[in-house]
Amino acid sequence: MRIAILNKDKCQPRRCSLECIKYCPRVRTGDETITLGKDGKPVISEELCVGCGICVNKCPFGAIMIIGLPEQLDEPTHRYGQNGFVLYGLPMPQKGRVEGILGPNGIGKSTAVKILSGILTPNLGRPETTWDDVLEHYAGTIFYDYLKNVSKGKIKTSQKPQYIDLIPKAYTGKVKQLLKATDERGVVDELVQKLDITHILNRDIQHLSGGELQRVAIAACLSRNADFYFFDEITPYLDVYQRMNCARLIRELAQEKAVLVVEHDLAVLDFLADIIHISYGTPGAYGVITQPKVVRLGINEYLRGYLPQENVRIRPQAIEFETHAPRSEKENPVLIEFSKFTKKYEHFTLTVTDGQIRKSEVVGIVGPNGIGKTTFIKLLANEIKPTTGNIDIKLRISYKPQYIKADLDMSTQAFLYAINPRFSQSYYMTEIIQPLQIDRIYERNLNDLSGGELQRVAIAACLGREADLYLLDEPSAHLDVEQRTMTTKVIRRYAENQNSTALVADHDIYMVDMISDSLLVFDGKPAYNGTTHGPFDMRNGMNKFLHELNITFRRDEETKRPRVNKLDSKLDREQRRKGEYYYTT
């Protein structure tokens, strides 16, 4: 079975010679395998296409994909027109459990949720499909009763959006006004306490940090009275403790409601979900949502890249985890050395103790939200000045901020080339552009990029500047598991090749572990005061950080991935006694 996909955003027939039609062997023999549609763009007949791939290679904009699908796939659930994206399979929300979806971005998770919410009528891959056709197709399956209620408008949905930074654009006013308007279950006061957002109730939505906005969005979603709750990424901008706290609240809700969660933080998904669906495919082309799997086995199959039940390999290589803390190596020369200084605001004070950062290393920055990590990075970037003491850095610095705004009306390629014309050179293409898959969105305007795409462009832009010190604030936000793994490799390899130093602040524990040579640990009272400690070696740094958060991790027996221990479990008590909160060997 074969599908042909045309990315209409990339397709530019006025700027090419219609190479797809010109070089197609079936067209040259007289068949109408590729024709021009009413919009002037090619239409590919999947019945006549022989899958030679010539049009794919000849298209100057990379707008065509010809994909051979696994033979065992059933009829499509939905397709966005001829040569458009196609989705196979659906998750089945059920009361009393949390269902998770694990998979790359861009392969149909949002489409599935639109169908389950009644926003989109599934067309089964055929034009002019009605709800009667859909119900006839699903008759006798577990989906029938649910979809029947959806078709009659009897399913009410509460959804926490993926990109919370868009909320201030859609809503103006104070936090308490927003939460009051959504409190259909009479639980907002309780949620405000449990999510620790009491102190921001009188603030305007526009003045919230990412972590505060994320918790407000979760509270608003939880407080609605709905049949189906969907949470699209609960972890961006939240620290580890806040992530686990939000996961507990969602599990409480699932005791009486149907809950579906999309999440890329494996530790949180493992803790949160009762079952998971793996989603795989080709981003922008097709996506498959599998039957439900036991959480531990499903995550391990996903990491190995092979699904035995479906007999499908979804990734050429497994994602592997190290069990040992990095061994100490010969110390590099000092790049930055600073004495104690402070930064004071009206209600918050950051104290930076004596420290030094060495050349050619990656320093991870960890700590709770509201503790001063971003403030510290801005001080190094010379965006703000210390209140007492002095920090004098005479270095070339490149900075990727925590919150990214696309306010430039230009293409991705033009933006990156304006930063560094050398992006066209093979080294930058091989080391940055291609691994981050940015070449696929070269022709797209920055204003049209998703949060994950914009994040990867911002990371590339940061690394593309010539600098001695690279500062990256939460580069994992909105990236899926594969993208986080690749981003980690790109940053680390680039720092080594350029003999430069990188400081990376992030809440994804394993990403910090993979990327860092040492750790700078922040502690204190969030929103009131923060203090820096270190940098430490990885073992001591991770133990100090997780001790402050009161969380320990164990290792999965098969994949060695980190998993959160239940508080006061046997393993939790044993690791605390040994003082090993993360590395156990």
Side-chain angles (χ1 to χ4, degrees), residues 24 36 80 84 98 109 325-326 340 383 418 427 443 451 475 477 508 561:
C24 175
L36 288 181
Y80 290 96
V98 179
K109 297 187 289 291
K340 179 180 177 180
E383 290 209 347
Y427 173 78
E443 300 295 324
D508 186 315
R561 62 183 170 88

Side-chain angles (χ1 to χ4, degrees), residues 397-426:
I397 294 175
S398 181
Y399 170 45
K400 186 207 81 71
Q402 181 180 19
Y403 308 118
I404 305 164
K405 297 181 179 179
D407 52 4
L408 295 175
D409 186 16
M410 60 194 309
S411 71
T412 300
Q413 185 177 30
F415 170 69
L416 291 176
Y417 280 21
I419 288 175
N420 187 349
R422 293 191 297 176
F423 265 123
S424 60
Q425 296 178 4
S426 60

Side-chain angles (χ1 to χ4, degrees), residues 160 164 179 191-192 194-200 209-222 234 236-239 242-243 245-246 369-370:
K160 201 291 291 182
I164 56 167
L179 293 181
L191 291 172
V192 163
K194 290 183 176 180
L195 290 170
D196 192 24
I197 53 177
T198 306
H199 62 288
I200 64 171
S209 69
E212 291 165 344
L213 200 56
Q214 186 72 271
R215 283 176 286 161
V216 169
I218 292 171
C221 182
L222 288 169
I234 65 169
Y237 311 122
L238 298 186
D239 61 40
Q242 291 168 341
R243 293 178 182 198
N245 189 36
C246 291
N369 269 337

Side-chain angles (χ1 to χ4, degrees), residues 37-54:
K38 295 180 179 179
D39 59 358
K41 297 188 177 185
V43 176
I44 305 170
S45 170
E46 293 170 346
E47 292 76 17
L48 296 176
C49 176
V50 296
C52 66
I54 291 176

Side-chain angles (χ1 to χ4, degrees), residues 113-173:
V113 171
K114 288 179 181 178
I115 292 172
L116 296 174
S117 303
I119 298 173
L120 181 67
T121 302
N123 61 18
L124 309 179
R126 305 188 299 264
E128 299 179 1
T129 301
T130 65
W131 268 115
D132 289 337
D133 299 324
V134 173
L135 294 177
E136 181 181 352
H137 175 76
Y138 285 103
T141 71
I142 60 173
F143 294 99
Y144 179 80
D145 289 337
Y146 184 90
L147 291 177
K148 184 177 181 180
N149 287 329
V150 169
S151 68
K152 294 182 178 181
K154 294 183 178 181
I155 297 295
K156 183 178 178 181
T157 304
S158 180
Q159 182 171 345
K160 201 291 291 182
Q162 179 182 15
Y163 303 119
I164 56 167
D165 51 320
L166 299 179
I167 294 176
K169 298 179 181 179
Y171 181 88
T172 58

Side-chain angles (χ1 to χ4, degrees), residues 456-468:
R456 285 180 281 137
V457 171
I459 293 169
C462 178
L463 297 179
R465 301 183 185 98
E466 293 189 33
D468 305 299

Side-chain angles (χ1 to χ4, degrees), residues 203-254:
R203 282 199 215 160
D204 288 334
I205 293 291
Q206 283 76 11
H207 297 155
L208 299 184
S209 69
E212 291 165 344
L213 200 56
Q214 186 72 271
R215 283 176 286 161
V216 169
I218 292 171
C221 182
L222 288 169
S223 65
R224 292 190 181 279
N225 187 19
D227 305 293
F228 169 49
Y229 292 80
F230 174 63
F231 296 86
D232 198 346
E233 293 190 40
I234 65 169
T235 59
Y237 311 122
L238 298 186
D239 61 40
V240 177
Y241 180 82
Q242 291 168 341
R243 293 178 182 198
M244 302 309 298
N245 189 36
C246 291
R248 293 186 185 98
L249 291 176
I250 293 172
R251 286 196 60 83
E252 290 177 8
L253 174 72

